[in-house]
Amino acid sequence: MKKQFSNQFWLLSFCFKTAPKLMLFNLLIPAEQSVFVFFEYTVWIGYNLNAAENGASFPRLALLTLGVFLVYLVHQFIDSVYFHWSFERVKPMLTFKLRGKIYEKAKGMDLSCYDDPEFYNDFVLSTTQTDQCVERFMNDGRDFVSTLTICVLYFSYLLVMDKTGLLLALFGSFFNLWAGKAYFRLQEKARLEKLPFERQRDYQHRVFYLHDYAKELRLHPEMKGLLLQDFDRCNETVNGINKKYGFKLWALGFARGYLPVYFLLYAVYLPLLLYKAMVLKAISLADVVVLLAAVRRMIGRFGELVGYFPSFAYNGAFIEKIRRFLAFEPKIISGDKGVEGEFESLALFHVDFSYGSGHEILRDINLEIKKGQKIALVGYNGAGKTTLVKLLMRLYDPCGGVILRNGVDIRSLRLDEYRKGIGAVFQDYKIYAATLRENVVMDLCGGTKQETYEVESALHRAKFNLSERKLRYQIETPLTTEFEKDGINLSGGESQKVAIARTLYRGHDLIIMDEPSSALDPASEYQLNQELRQIAEDKTVVFISHRLATARDADCIYMMKDGRIVEQGTHDELLKLGGEYSRMWELQAQAYR
């Protein structure tokens, strides 16, 4: 309970800091609505019935009714402003602000966070549930304030007008509290039992409509039968759980709805009120109507008030995940030294690394990359090549050993400055739903002639031929057809050339190519290799590849196996050595023969 209160208070504080006036307005209006509802359905109706019963003049009541009507118009105007203007303004404002905090935190997340399932789950929920979380909080908070105000008003009214009715209302309310807690506890237990099967059912549902699976489902139609079989199985399990808890939920729901309202009201309280009115003459018939309605509303509203707590607890779980994510402190911490001088060398000494599972991915890595060199990291899949490059970029820190830039430990350098000196094209590069220009610049574009020239030059050097592709809008052409009907979808090779152009556009000191020719045909691969030789004349380039044709002209080749560097040297030296590299070269050469 303490944690739930803390979570709700945290989001309430955030909302007040973001939009204090609108939040105050959004809390006061529900209270005003409740006061008016109490006045309309209790005070005003009671006054009219008593006046009519006591023979008051019609013109007087009509004049008072007109006055109430005018007050009602003002009330409706305020409600309209609240629901259709204020509330619709404050929700997006709060959502955008909270999303902004989450995105800002996400920018500084360590790459290792994606390897932690629990943290990654919090991250996904934080980003996907922000809108719903804020909306639930606003709706529940508004309704809670409104209901609490009504309960206080009717409690005060019955305390003055009829203490017996107040006692019955409290008894009914606390019975509702007990039955409600039991009902929601049982409902939550049933929900948790159904959740794994509902997730499986949702997965099977997604497979049938997602584009990713469309081709394979048509090539393997028998898979549809298997998925439908699993879908039916999950449905049967969910229905079985519903039957298991159905009777108990019905019994508790019936007890909540019938006993406090109908039994207490019509079997106990109404006969008592009629006795007071008709036998004792202590109250009027108008009082009978108003008091009966007041007790009924108090029991009902108190039941609603109790019902908000499970909702607060449900939403509080998401708030807790958002808070935990925002409180995350990255382990890859920027140093305080500036990156000084031009790039001269990057050296690794006795570097070890593991992802936390205990299994070492890299062991005792020693290598040096000097300015102007073209270095190749080769080996079979899983040798640790990509992991090594991630350490070079300081996406991870080594578990042992040290990495030095120009003789300085990279952990002591400012992180943003260090990374700006490195350009990388990974295997899993992404093409964004933006223009070709924006996909190369990867920043806010100025649209200047100089920028246009540099973008086109980078594309040309990456062998992306604008004229051959016949792009309608040249570098302003939208990529992907997700949002633009005039957009185009690039082939795998074309997409890779755009990714390479990004690095060429920025002119980094050190360029890392992770399988740069993996999506290219042999002719394009040959052309790219020729181009990369030209790039390497004044740049330092590190290739990661298991296609040795890309690596043969490197100044130094490092052959990796099982997380170690097992051989190093030029192509000719490694062939003469007759080791792992030579055997891998021979296997690939046989495929071409």
Side-chain angles (χ1 to χ4, degrees):
M1 181 64 74
K2 183 178 179 181
K3 181 177 287 188
Q4 294 303 329
F5 176 79
S6 173
N7 289 331
Q8 302 298 329
F9 183 76
W10 177 86
L11 190 52
L12 181 65
S13 300
F14 169 80
C15 292
F16 264 104
K17 288 177 183 177
T18 304
K21 292 181 181 178
L22 285 174
M23 276 302 298
L24 188 62
F25 188 63
N26 278 274
L27 289 177
L28 290 178
I29 290 300
E32 178 271 333
Q33 290 173 331
S34 296
V35 170
F36 189 86
V37 168
F38 172 77
F39 172 79
E40 181 182 5
Y41 288 99
T42 303
V43 177
W44 176 240
I45 288 178
Y47 175 81
N48 277 279
L49 290 175
N50 274 305
E53 192 175 352
N54 293 326
S57 66
F58 177 76
R60 180 187 173 192
L61 290 179
L63 185 62
L64 288 173
T65 300
L66 178 61
V68 171
F69 171 73
L70 294 175
V71 173
Y72 180 77
L73 283 180
V74 174
H75 167 73
Q76 287 297 101
F77 176 77
I78 294 173
D79 281 4
S80 179
V81 170
Y82 169 70
F83 280 110
H84 303 298
W85 182 66
S86 172
F87 192 65
E88 292 304 315
R89 279 185 64 201
V90 74
K91 273 197 307 184
M93 185 186 304
L94 297 172
T95 299
F96 295 157
K97 189 72 174 179
L98 187 54
R99 277 189 176 276
K101 287 173 70 72
I102 291 171
Y103 293 155
E104 190 64 31
K105 177 62 73 171
K107 286 197 307 184
M109 276 175 58
D110 296 333
L111 201 61
S112 59
C113 294
Y114 292 87
D115 305 322
D116 183 344
E118 183 178 354
F119 184 88
Y120 186 69
N121 184 52
D122 287 350
F123 172 49
V124 172
L125 286 173
S126 296
T127 53
T128 58
Q129 287 290 323
T130 304
D131 294 7
Q132 298 93 319
C133 191
V134 170
E135 185 164 0
R136 282 193 297 261
F137 175 77
M138 295 292 291
N139 290 336
D140 290 346
R142 177 194 65 204
D143 295 342
F144 181 79
V145 169
S146 175
T147 305
L148 180 62
T149 304
I150 282 284
C151 288
V152 170
L153 289 171
Y154 278 117
F155 179 89
S156 304
Y157 178 79
L158 290 171
L159 183 64
V160 174
M161 300 298 296
D162 186 18
K163 292 182 176 59
T164 302
L166 177 61
L167 290 174
L168 288 174
L170 290 174
F171 177 80
S173 297
F174 283 111
F175 181 86
N176 247 347
L177 172 62
W178 171 83
K181 286 181 67 175
Y183 179 86
F184 287 117
R185 189 162 51 241
L186 193 64
Q187 191 179 52
E188 180 67 9
K189 187 177 179 181
R191 189 187 72 83
L192 291 175
E193 277 193 37
K194 290 186 290 184
L195 186 60
F197 304 101
E198 288 176 341
R199 287 182 61 191
Q200 291 180 39
R201 191 171 59 181
D202 290 343
Y203 167 76
Q204 292 142 9
H205 172 65
R206 290 199 308 274
V207 167
F208 274 101
Y209 73 79
L210 284 178
H211 179 268
D212 300 0
Y213 300 93
K215 293 189 292 294
E216 290 196 357
L217 286 179
R218 281 151 182 78
L219 290 173
H220 306 284
E222 62 277 3
M223 192 64 188
K224 294 181 181 178
L226 180 62
L227 289 169
L228 286 172
Q229 182 179 341
D230 288 343
F231 186 78
D232 291 339
R233 177 182 56 80
C234 290
N235 273 333
E236 289 176 5
T237 306
V238 170
N239 289 335
I241 295 172
N242 287 335
K243 289 179 182 178
K244 175 183 175 182
Y245 292 97
F247 178 78
K248 293 179 181 178
L249 287 170
W250 168 81
L252 285 170
F254 178 76
R256 290 176 63 212
Y258 172 76
L259 289 178
V261 178
Y262 295 99
F263 179 77
L264 286 177
L265 281 176
Y266 300 118
V268 178
Y269 192 48
L270 180 58
L272 181 62
L273 289 176
L274 291 173
Y275 178 78
K276 286 183 178 180
M278 300 175 69
V279 177
L280 300 180
K281 305 295 182 182
I283 58 174
S284 65
L285 291 175
D287 292 334
V288 172
V289 174
V290 173
L291 289 171
L292 187 68
V295 170
R296 178 168 186 168
R297 286 197 179 93
M298 183 173 172
I299 294 174
R301 288 305 182 96
F302 192 86
E304 291 177 18
L305 195 68
V306 171
Y308 291 126
F309 288 100
S311 181
F312 285 146
Y314 175 77
N315 201 38
F318 292 102
I319 299 174
E320 174 71 18
K321 293 183 183 297
I322 292 174
R323 289 182 69 184
R324 194 159 57 204
F325 175 74
L326 291 175
F328 166 76
E329 292 297 332
K331 296 177 182 176
I332 306 296
I333 302 171
S334 176
D336 54 7
K337 289 183 181 179
V339 176
E340 298 178 354
E342 294 183 0
F343 175 81
E344 295 296 337
S345 67
L346 197 62
L348 289 78
F349 295 101
H350 306 291
V351 166
D352 301 321
F353 179 76
S354 68
Y355 285 106
S357 60
H359 174 67
E360 281 191 316
I361 306 299
L362 298 174
R363 289 174 289 174
D364 197 30
I365 299 295
N366 295 276
L367 65 84
E368 185 173 12
I369 304 165
K370 294 181 180 179
K371 181 179 180 180
Q373 280 188 322
K374 188 164 68 169
I375 301 295
L377 301 175
V378 301
Y380 296 105
N381 291 336
K385 304 183 298 294
T386 299
T387 300
L388 177 56
V389 166
K390 289 175 181 177
L391 294 181
L392 295 179
M393 299 184 68
R394 214 186 160 211
L395 296 173
Y396 294 93
D397 278 335
C399 300
V402 65
I403 303 175
L404 305 178
R405 181 195 183 274
N406 295 352
V408 179
D409 190 336
I410 63 172
R411 288 173 291 194
S412 67
L413 300 175
R414 293 195 187 101
L415 192 59
D416 56 343
E417 292 184 20
Y418 174 73
R419 286 180 180 167
K420 281 180 181 178
I422 304 175
V425 180
F426 288 112
Q427 297 179 62
D428 53 352
Y429 59 85
K430 300 298 180 185
I431 296 298
Y432 297 89
T435 65
L436 178 56
R437 178 199 293 268
E438 290 167 332
N439 267 280
V440 173
V441 175
M442 294 294 284
D443 200 346
L444 295 175
C445 296
T448 63
K449 290 183 179 180
Q450 180 65 25
E451 181 185 83
T452 300
Y453 170 77
E454 291 175 357
V455 170
E456 291 178 348
S457 176
L459 287 167
H460 176 72
R461 294 174 66 196
K463 298 302 180 183
F464 187 97
N465 196 319
L466 289 168
S467 58
E468 183 181 307
R469 192 60 169 82
K470 296 180 181 179
L471 301 179
R472 183 175 180 183
Y473 304 109
Q474 293 295 290
I475 63 172
E476 302 301 336
T477 301
L479 301 187
T480 80
T481 57
E482 186 165 354
F483 303 113
E484 300 286 346
K485 63 179 181 180
D486 293 332
I488 64 167
N489 291 312
L490 301 177
S491 67
E494 289 173 326
S495 298
Q496 195 162 38
K497 290 174 183 178
V498 172
I500 292 170
R502 290 172 183 163
T503 298
L504 302 181
Y505 171 80
R506 292 184 175 271
H508 297 288
D509 295 330
L510 173 62
I511 298 175
I512 295 172
M513 300 284 188
D514 189 354
E515 300 287 1
S517 59
S518 61
L520 302 182
D521 57 75
S524 297
E525 180 184 15
Y526 175 78
Q527 290 177 343
L528 179 61
N529 289 339
Q530 296 299 314
E531 181 64 25
L532 291 176
R533 288 192 190 95
Q534 297 174 20
I535 296 170
E537 290 178 358
D538 61 345
K539 297 290 183 183
T540 307
V541 182
V542 177
F543 298 99
I544 305 175
S545 183
H546 62 267
R547 288 166 67 167
L548 301 186
T550 305
R552 63 180 299 172
D553 294 318
D555 296 314
C556 186
I557 300 171
Y558 291 91
M559 179 71 189
M560 297 188 66
K561 182 180 180 181
D562 298 329
R564 292 180 179 273
I565 295 175
V566 293
E567 297 171 4
Q568 67 183 72
T570 65
H571 173 75
D572 292 335
E573 289 171 347
L574 293 178
L575 286 182
K576 290 178 182 178
L577 188 63
E580 292 288 342
Y581 180 87
S582 178
R583 284 191 288 273
M584 189 175 183
W585 172 265
E586 186 61 29
L587 286 171
Q588 294 187 10
Q590 286 177 6
Y592 286 103
R593 296 193 193 105

